[in-house]
Structures are given as structure tokens and as C-alpha cells.
Amino acid sequence: MQKKLIIFTDSGDTFIDEGTEIRNEEDIVIHADMIPGAGETLKALYDAGYTIAMVADGEEQSFTNVYEENGLGYCFHTRTISEIVGIQKPSERMFQDAMDKNHLTEEDKHRIVMIGNNVRKDVAGANRFGITSILLDWSPRYDMNPASEEEKADYIVHEPKELLTLIESLEEKLSKVGNA
């Protein structure tokens, strides 16, 4: 059954462990491992009927390589990638592109969450755009301390498997509102 909640998600240090990336001479990622529990989480969300849209900064071929290698490329309904859009998060254009590709309107924003690992790009971008922000505070590579109100996440999880409970809870809230 198709879920009401729509998931926008980053990739690096959200599902893919950036510390394991191997790049070729063109700086394209040719190999990377999943964060522990991330592959199972992504598959479980997909299998549960959630629409999952990648909203990530990087090169299209890098994302294709790592998700195909890990057997999870099919989990994304759409991909919004900075190389294609021509600008990086926190630009509103990245989030708008994902909405357009998924045929979503302004009225759908209350149903969208953005999962990411960067308070300055993912969280601030989501908050400015008017969608729910979820910080995956897993990697030590980025400063997780918000410098402003717009960098404060609506929800914080520390490992990918925690997303399952949070997403189910947010879906349940949406369903109750829809049936009220």
C-alpha cells in the first residue's frame, strides 16, 4: 500500500559511508560501502510503500555506481542530483526539482521529510523550503551543531535503523490527520 509520507533523502553519510568511497581519475565514486544498517533500512522503507526521492549533491554516475553495486538502485523513485540541476543544497531548486519529478505541489509539503547528514545543506534547505527535516547524526565528518534556528532539525536520529520507527510514527500521524 502506498504511504502518504514522502521521503527525500541525501546519500553520502546518510546511507553511503563517505569514508569508504573509492574514486577514479575523473573523481567519480566507483565503490562505497553502506553505513551499517542503511541498506536494510532503505529496502524496508521501499518495501513498506514509501516514495523515496534522492536529493543529493554530487555526480550522477557516482550515485548510479554505488547504489547498483549495493543492489539498491531500484529503491529511489526519482533522483535529484546537483550535477544535473546545476546547483547544490541548500538551494530551493534542489527540493523543487524533487517535488516536480514526483508530481508534488505546495499542498504536499506537509507530507515530505528530508533526511540528511548536514545541518547547513540538508536541514537548513529543508527548513527554508517548508518541509520536515531529519538529521542523521552518524558521521563525525560534519559539524552537527546548528549555527542558527534554520539549521535545527525537526528530528534527530543517530543511525539509519532508527529511521524506521520515526518514519512509521510520522506516517501514523499523517494518517490520523487524514482520517480526522
Side-chain angles (χ1 to χ4, degrees), residues 22-30 59 61-62 65 83:
I22 297 172
R23 294 175 176 266
N24 67 14
E25 53 283 345
E26 285 91 38
D27 206 31
I28 299 297
V29 180
I30 56 172
E59 299 80 20
Q61 190 59 54
S62 293
N65 291 345
E83 176 190 36

Side-chain angles (χ1 to χ4, degrees), residues 107-128:
E107 291 77 41
D108 293 308
K109 282 187 174 180
H110 74 282
R111 301 190 304 130
I112 303 170
V113 299
M114 173 65 194
I115 305 165
N117 69 312
N118 189 308
V119 295
R120 285 156 193 70
K121 290 179 162 231
D122 303 308
V123 173
N127 289 343
R128 284 183 207 150

Side-chain angles (χ1 to χ4, degrees), residues 39-150:
E40 298 84 355
T41 299
L42 185 59
K43 186 178 181 327
L45 292 169
Y46 174 85
D47 289 346
Y50 290 100
T51 297
I52 305 170
M54 182 188 296
V55 181
D57 294 333
E59 299 80 20
E60 182 176 30
Q61 190 59 54
S62 293
F63 298 115
T64 298
N65 291 345
V66 296
Y67 285 100
E68 292 307 319
E69 170 188 20
N70 287 288
L72 296 166
Y74 69 92
C75 291
F76 299 101
H77 291 79
T78 62
R79 295 181 187 194
T80 292
I81 300 170
S82 63
E83 176 190 36
I84 305 301
V85 178
I87 196 162
Q88 294 191 353
K89 297 173 289 179
S91 173
E92 183 175 302
R93 283 182 24 215
M94 290 287 287
F95 300 96
Q96 188 61 54
D97 184 80
M99 280 187 51
D100 293 346
K101 284 179 177 168
N102 287 284
H103 311 289
L104 301 169
T105 66
E106 223 25 60
E107 291 77 41
D108 293 308
K109 282 187 174 180
H110 74 282
R111 301 190 304 130
I112 303 170
V113 299
M114 173 65 194
I115 305 165
N117 69 312
N118 189 308
V119 295
R120 285 156 193 70
K121 290 179 162 231
D122 303 308
V123 173
N127 289 343
R128 284 183 207 150
F129 195 64
I131 60 178
T132 300
S133 57
I134 301 172
L135 176 66
L136 178 60
D137 183 3
W138 175 83
S139 171
R141 273 180 272 282
Y142 299 97
D143 179 5
M144 300 290 176
N145 298 309
S148 66
E149 276 301 308
E150 71 180 7

